[in-house]
Amino acid sequence: MSTTGDKLPLVGSRAQNTMTQTTKKSNEPLKTDSLDKIRNIGFIAHIDAGKTTVTEQVLFVTGRIHRVGGVDEGTTAMDWMPQEKERGITITAAATNASWNDYQLNIIDTPGHVDFTAEVERSLRVLDGGIVVLDAVAGVQSQSETVWRQADTYDVPRICFVNKMDRVGASYERTIESIRRRLRANPVAVQLPIGEESEFRGVVDLIDGTATIYPSSAKGNGQKGNAHLDRLTQAPIPPECQESFQTYRQSMVEKIVETDETLLIQYLEGEQIEGDALRHALRRATISGELVPVLCGSAMGGKGVEPLLDGIIDYLPSPLDIPPVEGIDPRTEKTVIRLPDDDAPLAALAFKVATDPYVGRLVFLRIYSGKILTGGSVTNVTKGHRERMGRLLRMHANSREELEEVSAGDICAAVGLKDTFTGDTIGGATEQVILEPPKFPEPVVSVAIEPGSRADQDKLTDALRKLSDEDPTFVVKYNNETGQTVMSGMGELHLEVLVDRMRREFNVEAHVGKPRVSYREALTKSVCVEGRFVRQTGGHGQFGHVWLELEPLEQGGGIVFENAIVGGKIPREYISAVEKGVREAVNNGPLAGYPLVDLKIRLVDGSYHQVDSSELAFRSAGILAIRQGVPRGSPVLLEPIANLEVVTPGEYLSDVLGDLGTRRAQIGTIEGQDRLQTVRALLPLGETFSYTTALRSATQGRASYTMEFRHYQPVPENVLRSLLAVA
């Protein structure tokens, strides 16, 4: 794969002394017209792996901030929401920017908790590269696997940063092995740690053969702790690392040359391969996904951050290095390619919507081609209407900087796009394309919500609308049968945070019911059914007649409507009415009123009346056909199943397994590491409520767990009977 990486100058400690570079600080982000000088990157990882702390250190080292905050103290630049400060976790993806050795870094810090996986999904859709942060003690964890799969979906090149090398139990070698085993990746170490646990004091560059030594006093948690940045030293490799250096370097060189035929020939002929050639080859292999460079350090200790920045520049792609974005021409429905060129037609993707208390509604955009100007007129190609581009902003967490224009390859936030939502494409008046939007999982947990008083009713409605605009995994529906407003999300924490935001940001007090699982219903066999709607009330009547074939699909197939009418048996103008009717009807299944999923509906026959037929009649005929046909298709109730990973001290393993047994868990694997045991299991989501309390009680608070939705599966018969009895 040919990339522009061959033309890039060497950067960081190799182009100039990195240690003096870090003393040059500026509050202003770099302005550059060169696309190969831009890196659109994101930090992704399992919860508590240290993404936000790494980001904080990156911002400090690059001079973007002047003091390093702490997650535990709630003083980090990126975790700016009150809920993030109080809980010590990242909830929303925060965007910022920095410059390093004349390169502009557009950075997104993403959440690690599975309940906020939509933030990772939409970020990866628009990023060119990712830094996967791993805990040196725990290695690859469950959410690490999830974000890795998400990055695979969007073909995002990535590097790994093994964090917390100074913690007790840290192991660089074991973490690299877990990357190979659990992520099925091809990791290549480009650094070697100098010491581990409390003895960790620096890193060795395996390409240059130099060591970076950090003072033992470096803590990286404030101005005084980061004074070491001016005192870092390049040193020869310590004697105790020489043997490991030779082993690791040999392995690294072999992996790199395997991806480059020219270097492989040189290597086999015994020639010495220059460091620059190794870097360029590794860059190409990283961008193509053949190799994953691995670096290490301790963000809390401020160690390894500068080499990480060099690695971001060296190995992750610029907008020029990735394939041009593809879109669909809305007129011809043909695939169109857009090059990252300011002079090309405008194509930008809205990947996030947020509400700012000072500037109002913000729409985050990734500009793939063309450029946008403040105050310019643009077209929402997805919706087909014109919009006025108000102010353009470059965000730094919750602060902002005004821009006059934004060019191809860049990321910004826009004010004034009133009817643009996540996944919409922004373009010009002509030569339009529709870009592929990010895909989001369906919500799996629901609660009923009602205002605390009549005075709060309108405020609650407004708050729910704005929050659902921001979050595609937050769905609000009104249940006509119960008269309740039901909001659904990815988990208890997700909904809890949203309710707290309503109270703080919108001043709405609301009563919230207990969490309920979002079950689904599905057919298990195909049926053919007739729907006939006839009403005679004097004068014009109503007549609609359809025949539908209902066929179950594979899991994830969605609801598919297919028009198979031939010979004009039903006029074209009534076909859409039939589709509206059936899509409305599948929202209430026959067993317990849950939505039907994975169903193909074919309209195969029917008839109409010249005078009495209408759209209303055919819509009603479609509804009747679904209601009559679905019960004949042997419907089943489906429940969401979660991947569960529990890490517990060995002495509590039997108690943990016993509790899981009472919750209908399917135990997968049990792995031991030192005195800890890791249990992986499949657990019905309905059995997870109150699990936090139960696990703490069983293990005296010493165990932890993570969970993510995996799939739906049929509910066992005994559970089905109890659920239907309650319903």
Side-chain angles (χ1 to χ4, degrees), residues 192-195 199-206 209-214 233-246:
L192 178 68
I194 302 175
E199 299 300 317
F200 177 69
R201 63 186 189 279
V203 294
V204 174
D205 187 314
L206 293 176
T210 58
T212 302
I213 308 295
Y214 295 83
T233 56
Q234 295 284 350
I237 300 172
E240 68 271 20
C241 295
Q242 285 288 349
E243 184 177 344
S244 295
F245 169 76
Q246 296 298 334

Side-chain angles (χ1 to χ4, degrees), residues 136-187:
V137 178
V140 173
Q141 297 167 277
S142 58
Q143 188 65 5
S144 307
E145 295 180 84
T146 301
V147 298
W148 195 271
R149 287 197 303 270
Q150 290 172 308
D152 282 341
T153 300
Y154 297 108
D155 294 324
V156 177
R158 69 218 77 147
I159 63 178
C160 289
F161 180 70
V162 180
N163 191 26
K164 304 184 180 183
M165 284 299 303
D166 53 356
R167 282 188 59 199
V168 175
S171 172
Y172 189 53
E173 184 176 352
R174 188 177 64 233
T175 303
I176 293 176
E177 177 56 32
S178 71
I179 296 172
R180 184 180 297 108
R181 178 170 48 88
R182 293 192 62 174
L183 300 180
R184 295 180 175 84
N186 191 7

Side-chain angles (χ1 to χ4, degrees), residues 86 92 128 143 160-161 169 216 283 296 316 341 400 402 418 526 539 583 604:
E86 292 169 0
T92 183
D128 299 331
Q143 188 65 5
C160 289
F161 180 70
S216 58
R283 176 182 179 81
C296 62
L316 291 181
D341 185 349
R400 63 206 68 79
E402 296 272 354
K418 297 179 180 179
S526 300
R583 289 192 180 277
V604 295

Side-chain angles (χ1 to χ4, degrees), residues 396-410:
H396 174 53
N398 62 331
S399 60
R400 63 206 68 79
E401 170 199 353
E402 296 272 354
L403 300 173
E404 289 300 318
E405 68 175 43
V406 182
S407 303
D410 216 338

Side-chain angles (χ1 to χ4, degrees), residues 82 103 135 168 190 259 287 289 489 494 524 630 720:
Y103 283 75
D135 186 324
V168 175
V190 294
T259 68
I287 293 171
H494 185 201
T524 57
V630 168
L720 175 62

